[in-house]
Amino acid sequence: MTEARPFFKGMTYGWGARRGAYRQTYAAESLQRLAETGSEWIALSFWTYQEDIHATTIPFDYGYTMTDRDIACSVQQARALGLKVCLKPVVNSRDGQWRAYIGFPDGAAGARQWEAWFASYTDFICHYAELAEELGCEMLCIGCEMVRTEKHEERWRELIARVRAIYTGPITYNANHGKEEGVAWFDAVDYIGTSAYYPVADGPQASLETMLARWAVQVPRLAALSRRFGKPIIFMEIGCRSARGCAAMPWDFEHTELPRDAEEQAKFYRSALQTFWEEPWFAGFFWWDWSVRLYPLEAAGEDRGFDIYGKPAGEVLRAYYRGIPGDSALA
């Protein structure tokens, strides 16, 4: 009998924490609260820096980046709670520009820079492939939203071959929403990943019906992408802050002046879960995100971030992930 492919009931965990944080008591407590949502997976996500988007080397940042000891501790804590782990190392640019802009000009000089960068990035990913294998991580994500690099198909295929010689589990790559069709080498990974920050509203206080209609536009496009490569699709990132108007720009983390709106966040969650939950080509969610250090439960009413702890969106997610029949959050 063929084993059914997994459906990823996941959350992203670990982002924004600096070295040492995973080994703190508050981190263990946060993971416990995450497990109570009914999540079965975490994407353990952390970064190191390259100096700017035109740098060709990726050094280990001893002042910020999680150590292998930190990662091992978090994996062990997750496993003790029954959570599976997708290890998700990311490269960010220290100059503050989005990693999608990492790249080099056309011409001979640019070609040499691309060669040097891919050599450094391959070393970076292979280090974590080796660690994922040693720790028994159940999946590995080999890149996130690196749009300008994606046209270099043969270099990515070479990187994937190197990774598969080290790591025996499934691998994914996290494209950016609207850019998935530009990744010609998705056949080389096991799951097509994307950051599903599709705007599902035109402004604040959109109805659930509006959000469902906007998601429905994406369904045939993503289904066609899955058919093209014969691979299931995972939303490696998806989420929305509990702030008014964020369903129109789910990726936003900068507009801190927006008023709190927990119901808009909850509708965003409900609309995405309702739309994709039973699509046969769809393999699940890693919601963005769950903080390593949570706010106190009594402060949930003031928080305007992506976290869902103590918020209505948390109840929506719990109802789906725990499969509670008749739960009012599914209504």
Side-chain angles (χ1 to χ4, degrees):
M1 180 181 293
T2 303
E3 185 178 356
R5 63 172 173 80
F7 186 90
F8 298 92
K9 299 178 182 179
M11 293 288 304
T12 298
Y13 172 81
W15 191 254
R18 61 188 309 151
R19 64 178 303 180
Y22 291 178
R23 291 183 278 126
Q24 302 304 311
T25 300
Y26 58 73
E29 293 171 350
S30 178
L31 264 180
Q32 176 66 51
R33 301 288 86 78
L34 188 159
E36 290 168 2
T37 67
S39 294
E40 297 172 354
W41 284 76
I42 60 169
L44 185 60
S45 191
F46 53 93
W47 78 75
T48 195
Y49 286 114
Q50 61 179 61
E51 282 304 309
D52 56 53
I53 60 170
H54 303 304
T56 58
T57 57
I58 302 163
F60 185 86
D61 186 331
Y62 287 94
Y64 194 97
T65 304
M66 292 298 165
T67 65
D68 291 357
R69 181 185 175 198
D70 294 325
I71 294 163
C73 178
S74 196
V75 170
Q76 290 159 6
Q77 289 175 349
R79 186 160 291 124
L81 293 166
L83 296 165
K84 296 179 180 179
V85 177
C86 173
L87 197 63
K88 187 181 178 184
V90 175
V91 170
N92 273 347
S93 180
R94 197 184 294 275
D95 61 5
Q97 296 197 62
W98 183 28
R99 71 190 77 90
Y101 300 129
I102 292 171
F104 310 98
D106 295 331
R112 289 191 294 272
Q113 289 173 302
W114 276 118
E115 183 177 5
W117 184 86
F118 266 102
S120 187
Y121 186 76
T122 299
D123 287 344
F124 166 78
I125 287 295
C126 284
H127 171 84
Y128 290 106
E130 183 177 292
L131 185 63
E133 182 72 9
E134 290 175 356
L135 296 177
C137 295
E138 288 84 358
M139 189 161 67
L140 175 67
C141 184
I142 60 169
C144 179
E145 302 168 351
M146 308 189 78
V147 177
R148 288 191 65 191
T149 75
E150 292 164 3
K151 64 182 179 181
H152 293 272
E153 180 177 353
E154 291 308 312
R155 294 191 188 278
W156 275 105
R157 290 186 183 279
E158 290 167 5
L159 182 152
I160 291 166
R162 286 274 306 277
V163 168
R164 290 206 185 276
I166 299 167
Y167 175 70
T168 56
I171 63 173
T172 186
Y173 173 78
N174 184 167
N176 194 45
H177 70 280
K179 300 293 186 181
E180 302 93 344
E181 285 92 348
V183 183
W185 39 271
F186 264 141
D187 60 290
V189 300
D190 300 290
Y191 294 92
I192 296 171
T194 190
S195 292
Y197 297 117
Y198 299 98
V200 293
D202 293 321
Q205 298 178 305
S207 67
L208 176 64
E209 290 71 24
T210 294
M211 295 186 192
L212 287 168
R214 291 295 183 85
W215 280 120
V217 172
Q218 302 301 333
V219 171
R221 189 180 68 81
L222 293 171
L225 183 71
S226 177
R227 288 194 302 271
R228 173 184 165 192
F229 291 104
K231 306 288 181 178
I233 292 177
I234 311 169
F235 289 167
M236 282 303 301
E237 294 184 18
I238 179 174
C240 174
R241 291 195 298 125
S242 53
R244 189 162 301 165
C246 281
M249 47 179 183
W251 59 85
D252 178 71
F253 61 91
E254 295 179 316
H255 290 82
T256 57
E257 78 286 355
L258 294 173
R260 183 179 180 275
D261 194 334
E263 288 305 318
E264 184 169 328
Q265 183 189 45
K267 284 186 286 188
F268 182 92
Y269 268 68
R270 186 179 290 111
S271 64
L273 286 158
Q274 184 174 325
T275 299
F276 295 101
W277 191 257
E278 294 186 355
E279 289 290 342
W281 49 266
F282 184 69
F285 307 84
F286 286 93
W287 291 90
W288 191 272
D289 68 335
W290 192 278
S291 294
V292 171
R293 187 168 195 157
L294 288 172
Y295 44 75
L297 184 59
E298 59 271 19
E302 304 303 319
D303 186 77
R304 290 176 288 180
F306 285 94
D307 277 294
I308 60 171
Y309 177 58
K311 299 178 187 178
E315 293 307 309
V316 173
L317 186 73
R318 184 192 300 265
Y320 272 89
Y321 276 13
R322 295 178 69 90
I324 303 171
D327 194 292
S328 61
L330 292 173

